[in-house]
Amino acid sequence: KAIRESFVDTSVGPLKVTLSIGVAGKGVDPVPLTSLVDCADVALYRAKGEGRNCTIQYHAKKKKKAA
């Protein structure tokens, strides 16, 4: 709430502050750092697309085991 109500003074007037966060976790299986960053990036852009001022956690689709 504090960030949502924040403004930064600039030479052209106040600038509204927003915060969007994308989160990705590695779980128990080893994951390359670049893949983890890519997943967080996907979540970040989803947060921005959902109106900003939110946090989105990346959830990987679980792979089905072959029968």
Side-chain angles (χ1 to χ4, degrees):
K1 181 178 176 182
I3 291 175
R4 189 175 346 159
E5 297 172 355
S6 297
F7 288 85
V8 175
D9 290 324
T10 70
S11 60
V12 294
L15 179 66
K16 184 171 173 60
V17 176
T18 63
L19 178 68
S20 300
I21 299 174
V23 178
K26 73 172 199 67
V28 293
D29 296 326
V31 177
L33 179 59
T34 54
S35 295
L36 199 55
V37 170
D38 289 343
C39 293
D41 196 45
V42 168
L44 171 62
Y45 281 95
R46 188 168 150 224
K48 288 180 176 185
E50 290 189 14
R52 303 182 184 256
N53 285 326
C54 65
T55 302
I56 300 291
Q57 182 176 359
Y58 180 88
H59 294 283
K61 295 177 183 174
K62 294 185 179 184
K63 296 178 182 176
K64 294 182 180 179
K65 293 184 178 181

